[in-house]
Amino acid sequence: LLPLPKKKKNSINMNNFTLTTPQGNKKIKIPQGRHEVSYSQWIEAYKYIVLGEEAQQDLDNNEHAKASRKAIESMARIVSALSNAEYKDVINLTPDKLNNLFLLYFDWLNKELPKKEHKIKNRIFVIPDFTKGSAGDFMDSMDLLGMVEDSKNDIELGLTIASVYLKEKKDKGEYKQDLEEIEKTKQFIKDNAKMDVLYSCAFFFLNFSKDLKPLIQQPLEVREELEKLISNLNGWVTILYSQVSQKVDY
């Protein structure tokens, strides 16, 4: 059983649940948004969006049983990756309860909006506004792409992008050119920032780089990483499950 959590008014803490399993009751915490999800959790969850995509293909091919199984596994894997619940416990929920859990408590995957200013451990970071298209901003972005391209084998590519792209507000819009300082910023973001920061960075940088597409060739690794960071992790899979459940008997 998965009872509704007790939440305080204006609570910023994770949703708390009691999950009944064959081994007994377990306390689990489910994030209320990207601000409670780490980079490593997001990367783990991203592995399983392929299951939702395959479920859609199976549905299109009228293979309803396959589509149902993959939709269920996709939701269970993502719930487990983004929370502290074990997959073996999440998959023990009935399909309808799992679908309701994903629909009600992970709806933020489709609703959250990026922000241009973030406070991290009392340090305020801002995302540059490239809409004015100044020459200086253009050169800064070119330098950024070059630095990120050099790090294309970095398994923490999203953190590398953010460490160069973010500006600290106290620096009055100036980019740090010192590689050692950039590495310190990267470690600070890794230790303290959550996915809302990386999501915002990826959203605005991707939009800016699209505008520059005729002028620069964006490295494939960069584009793939940006799309990974702004993904909704197949938040629509609940709709697919509902479509399939009308055609499959459990």
Side-chain angles (χ1 to χ4, degrees), residues 66-202:
K66 286 184 178 180
S68 179
R69 286 195 297 271
K70 289 176 182 177
I72 290 169
E73 184 177 359
S74 177
M75 288 187 285
R77 292 287 187 185
I78 291 172
V79 168
S80 178
L82 298 183
S83 69
N84 68 335
E86 294 184 65
Y87 170 75
K88 67 179 182 180
D89 294 328
V90 177
I91 201 64
N92 270 333
L93 292 169
T94 65
D96 285 344
K97 284 184 178 179
L98 174 57
N99 185 62
N100 287 338
L101 172 68
F102 202 74
L103 177 65
L104 294 174
Y105 295 101
F106 289 86
D107 60 337
W108 49 265
L109 286 168
N110 294 313
K111 292 181 177 179
E112 285 190 345
L113 298 176
K115 299 184 298 182
K116 287 198 171 183
E117 185 171 305
H118 296 269
K119 187 175 183 180
I120 312 171
K121 291 289 184 179
N122 295 319
R123 293 169 64 181
I124 299 176
F125 291 85
V126 294
I127 293 176
D129 183 3
F130 288 125
T131 57
K132 297 179 182 179
S134 70
D137 286 342
F138 175 78
M139 292 305 298
D140 286 338
S141 67
M142 291 286 285
D143 291 341
L144 168 62
L145 285 173
M147 294 181 70
V148 174
E149 186 174 16
D150 290 341
S151 303
K152 62 186 178 182
N153 293 322
D154 186 349
I155 61 173
E156 299 174 340
L157 184 54
L159 296 173
T160 302
I161 293 173
S163 67
V164 183
Y165 186 50
L166 281 173
K167 295 180 180 180
E168 197 160 1
K169 196 168 185 177
K170 69 179 181 63
D171 293 334
K172 298 180 180 180
E174 293 295 324
Y175 274 109
K176 290 188 172 82
Q177 301 297 326
D178 186 277
L179 292 179
E180 184 175 342
E181 284 299 315
I182 291 173
E183 189 60 32
K184 288 180 180 178
T185 300
K186 177 181 174 181
Q187 189 62 47
F188 177 80
I189 292 172
K190 181 179 181 179
D191 293 340
N192 302 290
K194 297 296 184 181
M195 273 304 303
D196 58 329
V197 178
L198 296 167
Y199 168 65
S200 296
C201 284

Side-chain angles (χ1 to χ4, degrees), residues 11-29:
S11 171
I12 59 172
N13 297 320
M14 289 191 178
N15 288 314
N16 297 305
F17 292 84
T18 298
L19 185 62
T20 301
T21 74
Q23 292 76 37
N25 291 342
K26 293 185 179 181
K27 302 291 185 181
I28 65 170
K29 295 179 180 293

